[in-house]
């Protein structure tokens, strides 16, 4: 656990508690020290609005930002980049597929869920950690896909969310997404999960950061 001063100096902004939970358990499972304090903003609008205030904190040395792409990764990056530029941060024209890290007196990093390139959200990131040969996942997909359109209570772009939670519910001991990582139900050796951890390390570990 990082000391309070280190937590104040390194901050990770996330949209909600699910993001924070998954990131915490992913770091714990892979033995990556969390040298940062996670702040949940309860939505993208509140997160974007808070960026200038966080960047103005006197002890800040690194600010990480994790947001969902939803239907448009490029659109989400443009919104984020515009907010950073208004705060005096020279954001690149496009997100880095490996996770963006902008060097400076205060390092600024951004990760757009699930992989900086595809539409989606935290559940799409978690779905990538479902073991390839898992026998339950295809059944969860068929179950959700088989719900008639007029009976669906989720938006069309939220089908992966429904499938992931159906899959989690069918485990021997159903758990939230984060605990599914530390329990071994999910496999963090997935390439995207490992790229995310490398981004965290580059951003928050001063011995390896840009």
């Amino acid at each position: 656990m990082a000391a309070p001063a280190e937590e104040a100096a390194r901050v990770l902004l996330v949209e909600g508690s699910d993001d924070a939970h998954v990131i915490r358990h992913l770091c714990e499972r892979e033995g990556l020290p969390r040298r940062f304090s996670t702040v949940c903003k309860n939505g993208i609008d509140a997160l974007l609005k808070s960026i200038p205030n966080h960047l103005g904190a006197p002890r800040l040395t690194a600010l990480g930002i994790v947001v969902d792409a939803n239907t448009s990764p490029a659109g989400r990056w443009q919104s984020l980049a515009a907010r950073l530029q208004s705060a005096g941060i020279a954001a690149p024209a496009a997100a880095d597929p490996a996770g963006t890290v902008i060097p400076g007196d205060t390092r600024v990093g951004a990760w757009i869920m699930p992989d900086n390139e595809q539409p989606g959200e935290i559940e799409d990131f978690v779905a990538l950690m479902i073991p390839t040969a898992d026998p339950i996942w295809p059944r969860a997909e068929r179950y959700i896909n088989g719900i008639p359109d007029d009976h669906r209570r989720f938006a069309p772009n939220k089908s992966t969310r429904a499938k992931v939670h159906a899959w989690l519910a069918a485990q021997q001991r159903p758990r939230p997404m984060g605990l599914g990582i530390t329990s071994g139900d999910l496999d963090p050796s997935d390439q995207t999960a490992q790229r995310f951890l490398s981004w965290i390390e580059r951003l928050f570990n001063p011995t390896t950061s840009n």
Side-chain angles (χ1 to χ4, degrees):
M1 179 66 67
E6 292 174 323
E7 291 183 343
R10 304 182 185 108
V11 174
L12 181 68
L13 305 181
V14 299
E15 291 189 48
S17 58
D18 285 342
D19 308 83
H21 196 245
V22 167
I23 292 167
R24 175 168 68 87
H25 285 279
L26 181 58
C27 290
E28 288 178 0
R29 171 68 186 273
E30 294 299 278
L32 184 66
R34 288 189 299 123
R35 302 180 177 91
F36 54 89
S37 176
T38 303
V39 180
C40 297
K41 288 298 181 178
N42 297 317
I44 183 63
D45 292 336
L47 187 153
L48 292 174
K49 186 178 179 179
S50 74
I51 288 174
N53 287 338
H54 283 284
L55 286 172
R59 299 165 71 180
L60 190 74
T61 61
L63 180 68
I65 303 165
V66 175
V67 295
D68 292 335
N70 291 335
T71 59
S72 175
R76 180 65 80 224
W77 174 255
Q78 289 171 4
S79 298
L80 178 56
R83 192 58 61 111
L84 290 173
Q85 288 166 352
S86 69
I89 302 297
D96 186 338
T100 302
V101 175
I102 304 169
D105 293 337
T106 298
R107 294 185 305 280
V108 177
W111 183 280
I112 302 177
M113 287 288 176
D115 64 356
N116 300 298
E117 297 180 298
Q118 302 299 318
E121 54 189 341
I122 187 66
E123 282 85 1
D124 294 89
F125 179 79
V126 168
L128 297 171
M129 290 186 276
I130 295 174
T132 303
D134 183 88
I136 299 174
W137 178 242
R139 291 172 171 83
E141 290 185 299
R142 287 196 294 271
Y143 163 60
I144 297 301
N145 290 338
I147 299 175
D149 289 346
D150 57 345
H151 290 172
R152 294 189 177 202
R153 298 178 181 177
F154 52 88
N157 65 321
K158 301 296 184 181
S159 62
T160 300
R161 174 187 291 184
K163 293 170 185 175
V164 165
H165 289 285
W167 180 84
L168 287 165
Q171 301 307 303
Q172 184 176 11
R173 293 184 61 187
R175 300 173 173 89
M177 291 185 290
L179 289 175
I181 297 172
T182 50
S183 70
D185 292 336
L186 292 161
D187 181 7
S189 67
D190 168 75
Q191 290 183 354
T192 300
Q194 290 299 311
R195 280 197 290 118
F196 177 82
L197 290 169
S198 295
W199 170 74
I200 288 284
E201 186 74 358
R202 285 190 290 125
L203 177 61
F204 291 119
N205 186 343
T207 64
T208 60
S209 300
N210 290 334

